[in-house]
Amino acid sequence: MAEATGSTLLNEQPAASAGPHSKVGAVLVAGGGVSGIQASLDLAAMGFKVYLVEESPSIGGRMAQLDKTFPTNDCSMCILSPKLIDCARNPNIEIITRARVDEVRGQAGNFTAVLLKKPRFVNAEKCTGCGICQEKCPWKADSEFDCGLGKRKAIYTPFSQAVPNVPVIDPERCAYFLKGTCRACEKFCERGAIDFSQTEEKVEVQVGAIILAPGYEPFDAAKKPEYGYGRYRNVLTGLQFERILSAAGPTGGEVVRPSDGRPARKIAWIQCVGSRDAAHGRNYCSAVCCMYAAKHVTMAREHDEGVQATVFHNDVRSYGKGFEQYYRQVSHMPGVRYIRSIVSTIKELPGTQGLLIRYWGEDNKAHEEEFDLVVLSVGMEPGPGSLELAEKLGVEVDANGFCRTSPSSPVSTSRPGIFVAGVFAGPADIPQSVTMASGAASLAAQLLADARGGLTTTKEYPPEKDVSGERPRIGVFICRCGTNIGRVVDVPSLADYARTLPNVVHAEENLFTCSIDTSRRIIEAIEQQGINRVVVAACTPRTHEPLFRDTIRQAGLNPTLFEMANIREQCSWVHMHEQEVATRKAAELVSMAVARARLGRQALHFSLPVNRSALVLGGGMAGMTAALSLAEQGFPVHIAEKSDQLGGIANRLRYSLDGEDVSAQVKALVARVESHPLITVHRNAEVREARGHVGNFSTVIAGRGDGQERNIEHGVIIVASGANEGQPSGYPYGADERVLTLLELEDEIASGGAHLARARNVVFIQCAGSRSDDRPYCSRTCCRQTVKLALRLKELNPEIDVHVFYRDMMTYGLSEESYRLARERGVRFHRYRPEAPPQASVDAGSQALLVTGEDCDLGRVAEVKADILALAAPTIPNEDNARLSSMLKVPLDSDGFFLEAHMKLRPVDFPRDGVFLCGLAHGPKSLDEALAQAQAAASRAASVLAQEALEALGTVAEVQRRKCTGCGLCQAVCPFDAITIDEEAKVAVVNGVVCKGCGACAAACWPGAIDILGMSNEQVLAAITAL
Amino acid sequence: MMSGLSGPMAANRPQLDRIRGVEGLNAELCFSCRKCSAGCPVADDMDLAPHQLVRLAVAGPEGEALRSSGIWLCTSCQTCTTRCPNGVDVAGVIDALKQRAVASGVKPRDGRMLAFHRAFLDDVKARGRVHEMSLTARYALRARRVPEGILLGIGMFQKGKLPLIPPKKTATRELRRLFERGKGK
Amino acid sequence: MEEKHAQSVEEKPAQWEPRIVAFLCNWCSYAGADLAGTSRLQYPPNTRTIRVPCAGRVNPLFIIRALMHGADGVLVSGCHPGDCHYLEGNYLARRRFALLKSLLEYLGIEEGRVQFAWVSASEGGKFAQVVTEVTESVRKLGPAQRLVRAREQEVAS
Amino acid sequence: MTVRVLSYYPGCSLHGMSREYDESTRLVYRALGIELRELANWTCCGASAGHSLDQELAIALATRNLELAAAAGNELVAPCAACYQRLKIGEKESASPVTVLHALDVISSPETLDRLRESLQRPLSGLKIVLYYGCLLVRPPEVTGREDYEDPQSMDQVMAAVGADIRPWSFKTDCCGAGLAVARPDVVRRLSSHLAEMARQAGADCIVTACPLCQANLDTRQDKGGLPVLYFTELLACALGLEGTESWWRRHMVDPVPVLKKAGVI
């Protein structure tokens, strides 16, 4: 348990080791949600010590509360939980829960942070996570994790996958603290782990940088009293509905009404509760609610096909990657309605407790309808803790309480050395948060490059014994887990039975096999009895296998010589009343584990030297930012730019929505890149060929002019090849010089063009090519661009009339403020329906450019004589993408942009190790988003480059050349491109570093020539036979 | 879908003296979420719904809004104003439209409510305090119709609810000055 | 099985009980099974789990071998579509499984002996339910003898 | 024993069709030791006609009365929700030194509630009621200063203090359309009937109001009819066992006597 070492390590840390001016190779991450977790993992991988400080009892944050995630409908906990375990296991991440930052002294590079750590009242070193205390505790409280819909005890673990998996006593609820009696938990804890004497501690840590990732609070829906939240039981918040949907939630995943437990068949969602609500001081869009509501609809219908779903909304903001397609799909499902009308109030009907909603229909009439359940799509806001943190650290926040950042440095706070990630920097979804987290990690790594590796530890192990020639000598250790196993399974007879199994030379029972004293006994037994295979029968290997593998490694055994039998979660706990049968099942599970262990072979330790340099494809803002970040960390970088100029599409931007001068920003970055000694820029360069794998790539680039080829050796690739502004169609673009794209208009404004001087009426048309059948995605930036340009036009000439024809204004996040400002300044917005886009024509007589378009809210057609017509042309993928994709063996999505490894948690990685992604190549995005993503890609790349050699061990595929026919089936099914076919020898060759050991190849190979070490066909078959 | 209004609007016809600019009403901030119309108790009876009135007040053609009978149906219950996420004083915008319609002599499509308001103020001006019977009579004259509620009124009268004798006139001279001051503007 | 069971562990119940091998993927279904445990859900004790990295790891040979060695049923369970830790292993498994089904049909193995299920890490309840259903359906089919006999004949010859 | 002296603005209705509200208010206040001093020479607040036609006149009509109150030097109480709101707007616009209160505000103060409980003679426990605050009493919150404007509590507290059986319902502040009563009775009938129907479904014997316009409107315009509509002050008078209530009941269009008798209120 990572926390076990917490306070001791902290106290031992030599505060004086770093002088006041030298940099400290450690980073404090405040907040243990998905952002904090990602930043910590990245930093640890880059060679920094991390203190991950979390206020609640477990890391995991809001994401742990979610049921599924959009747009992939992934199970949230399934994809998060491995990251939690990675954090817990990482020797360089110290998780400090129930703690907050109280004070920070010092400056960038060398801070002293004072933490206040609340007592847990449970000794983490003694606790085994058996859960008996929670079972016996008689005091209940509303579960925070279940948003008050379920109960927890006064001693509790917030959720079953919590890290650390150590319960905490809530002194506000515990009878011992309130009345001085009870102590039931103490009485029943067989390990004596309960410790009522713990008190609040003050802990100091020395760090070089700080990353703030304190997350958000959902908007308190009771502040919109018209919706009756808190008064009507069947009105829930979005987060509560997540818990309802969750199979592990208070209703077991049944979509039922809290008032009577009956299935909810007619469900309404109300959007923008606490968002886009300047009247309640929330002049921003929460950026995620449109999509989470669409996800709720999908999930509710998946649980019960009969669910009728109605979403009451304003603009639908489907601006992200894959969002528009997702929204289209959901809105076209049978039984699903999207109604553009924010609801004024909810009435609870007497008797049925049904909820009456009145809305304004598209037919221009009021309608009333009864629903079983209403979900309020609440927005997000910085919590009071975040504001306090910012104040204590002297970090500026904006009017809404979000951390102040600038478009040119989207993850830096106002205080040097302190960075920000996640929703505290402004409303953001998970991928954006994770991206910011990696980006912040990258900036911290840049700042502390000199101190990298200074405080990290690698565990030392004795030299590994070679047991390959030895006869198996198996030791079996059976855990009673207090009474958790022992009460149901007859452990003594199980041990007797184990001794009868072939090759078992030792079997014993332990009260707790995972305790420190038992691990000493295991090491002794291995040494004294010559044991060369170990089996532990205890709890689930998912949490404890790494611990035992580590134990046998300390005794000089290869970790793959270990097997586990799960006789707790999958035996004693699920057959509590059938002792005899459970014992027999446990015996068979042990027999199977012994059979696997008998055939266990020690795995090789791979070590692959890393070429510690990078190749960045694309010299736009994203590519240059990524390159600079890596170079600042000391890694040589090559930039291959297709054109003769650095800067990419940003060369056509003049200023940002916030009024920053983009041209100056581009110039400054180009100058820094060009003068950096570690960066080599190749202009007019085209990639011809790319070979190799993570750590050792070899890429051929050729000059576009001279065709001269050049070979570059490098360890990682960052794809930052950008995208283009497409041609708008359907309007007299190209035929009439008054018709421009947004980028052209920006240029016109910046250069004070002739058109502009005479213009009295400027018309914008949104979605001129996006969100269409043949291009079914939102180009994300156009609405913001339009608002920016409209405001600039009004600034230049307040008398000018500006009309915007739009479908949904995608001014998500904090840019909602600019949209409001544009309305205030008199820009007129007219909504049109997708089936009736505006028309533009030139009057034959007067040569006037006439735009006619729907104004849905007035129900009539608006006619405008335009001096300038600006079209929001789509952002389109580079024509080069398909070629690059096949050359680099990385996928494209259906729109032609590059597809990341995982839309939520690996937004800048590719499935192929060592290749990363950022900028418009990934999809449309604004400049600040591209910059954050570029920092993130640099962080991910640096975690490879920070290692001198890549180490890999264990369960990877290996080929028996004798049996292999070189048919290539394994290569075809391998999702990681870890297999190549040696065409000469006609055999498959596995790259052990790239292979993840999933076994798809082994299952596909009929001759059985390819197999997974540590999970071989032979072992599985032996286990089956041992039944 | 394209109901309520029809026919084109020339969006860049110059607008005179728009409601935008009237301080505190914030009409121009509307983003057409329709919450006002969804919550309005009488929106269904209006020819133009509150969100449309706000929109017309900002972007015109304002004449359309001034002629609307919808503005005269507003009960001033303030539900729209109270719940508007943009802080638009919707009821205030509608009041401003009514006042402007009166000031510019625009006749509503349905004149009943205007007749009632006029009758009411006539009675205030004449007596200082309103006398229900006299108000009803004034309304009948102004609207040139027998009030629909006349039978009910008789019932109420029989119950002793409606006093026949008007209260004595109060401060009428002072009130006349207030009325005249208003007119002078 | 072989003569290795000792004392109390060795005694077999008088009545026949189905024996089911469950291949569970590590990232979703195995975690779901663990969650059933932490939630103390009770289900029939007839399954014997083999943890595999991914449903895509399950070689059809494993299933046939299990049926040959006295298993009366086999359950293969992986992540929901789209959730695979290894990108698309569960799709691969599903395709392979469809093929295997026709093979089993050819071999005369009744439908229902070999089943596939999606169980996520948060679906402890669903796991318990799946195990209960599979156990019941195999119980209805009775002992699986066809492949066991085939093996015995093969061994004999 | 007089504990508090207030200026009193009855408004036109309380001198006209809603005299029972005027009488019951005076009676109850007196019983609770609060002296009401009617403003001499008060004039109409302008109601919705004022601000519909002439914004300045509307403010001036309200301010005139506030000036009278300022001269009297006491807080000003108005039992009519419409008058209350117009005066409240006047108070805000003219930065008047006078605090305008609604009749409910006075009774729902903690001290008065205590006195109410002490003087309780006949608890209303047999009477099932819903409370109808209407719109002008609470909206807009910037004017009325109320935080619980979507689910107001003052009348709940008052009626709970006298033991009434208050039914939960969600229509406390929905508009009944009283302002349209003369010219558009068709619209008003729809709104009122709906409210009455919802009250019936909530299991109420009667609707309790704090506004003469709401009362008159709901009392006279129910499609189904039969649900009495009472002033909270009328019920308080009963609960306090005060004399002189009989004459009020016959002025109601829906006769409340059977319901009150059945519930043991009279």
Side-chain angles (χ1 to χ4, degrees), chain A residues 875-910:
Chain A
T875 301
I876 58 166
N878 266 339
E879 58 280 5
D880 214 19
N881 284 2
R883 203 178 60 87
L884 263 185
S885 152
S886 69
M887 200 152 41
L888 299 175
K889 298 194 192 71
V890 294
L892 295 180
D893 65 19
S894 59
D895 300 323
F897 295 100
F898 284 95
L899 179 62
E900 61 271 35
H902 189 277
M903 278 196 157
K904 281 292 170 190
L905 292 186
R906 296 178 65 198
V908 299
D909 296 16
F910 277 114

Side-chain angles (χ1 to χ4, degrees), chain A residues 714-738:
Chain A
H714 53 104
V716 294
I717 307 174
I718 294 179
V719 178
S721 51
N724 288 317
E725 187 184 53
Q727 286 259 334
S729 56
Y731 295 99
Y733 178 74
D736 189 308
E737 57 173 12
R738 290 169 290 187

Side-chain angles (χ1 to χ4, degrees), chain B residues 1-180:
Chain B
M1 158 69 223
M2 303 295 274
S3 56
L5 283 178
S6 53
M9 68 190 228
N12 45 355
R13 183 192 300 157
Q15 295 300 311
L16 298 169
D17 193 20
R18 282 182 205 120
I19 295 296
R20 71 168 253 104
V22 174
E23 203 185 334
L25 297 182
N26 297 332
E28 65 282 357
L29 292 178
C30 170
F31 55 29
S32 299
C33 72
R34 309 174 172 205
K35 194 178 186 185
C36 48
S37 298
C40 175
V42 293
D44 254 348
D45 302 290
M46 292 176 161
D47 51 355
L48 289 169
H51 74 277
Q52 297 179 317
L53 291 170
V54 171
R55 200 166 171 74
L56 286 171
V58 176
E62 199 187 32
E64 198 75 59
L66 298 186
R67 271 190 303 279
S68 152
S69 59
I71 56 177
W72 296 104
L73 268 181
C74 169
T75 65
S76 305
C77 75
Q78 306 279 345
T79 305
C80 47
T81 297
T82 301
R83 295 185 186 142
C84 175
N86 281 308
V88 178
D89 182 357
V90 183
V93 170
I94 292 174
D95 269 353
L97 287 171
K98 285 189 272 192
Q99 292 158 16
R100 196 149 307 189
V102 171
S104 51
V106 176
K107 271 180 79 175
R109 291 197 192 96
D110 177 344
R112 282 178 286 176
M113 276 311 294
L114 175 57
F116 173 74
H117 289 318
R118 287 223 157 106
F120 190 97
L121 288 189
D122 289 347
D123 212 43
V124 174
K125 190 176 171 186
R127 333 191 61 90
R129 299 175 188 174
V130 170
H131 176 230
E132 285 112 354
M133 292 282 240
S134 132
L135 167 61
T136 314
R138 282 181 201 278
Y139 169 69
L141 282 173
R142 279 233 180 233
R144 300 209 180 114
R145 66 197 297 159
V146 179
E148 285 88 340
I150 192 76
L151 283 177
L152 178 69
I154 294 168
M156 290 168 80
F157 176 69
Q158 284 169 339
K159 279 258 182 184
K161 234 180 142 52
L162 291 179
L164 189 59
I165 305 160
K168 76 173 186 4
K169 292 185 181 179
T170 314
T172 43
R173 212 188 303 152
E174 198 185 333
L175 284 190
R176 205 168 301 129
R177 275 207 303 279
L178 288 185
F179 274 80
E180 298 312 317

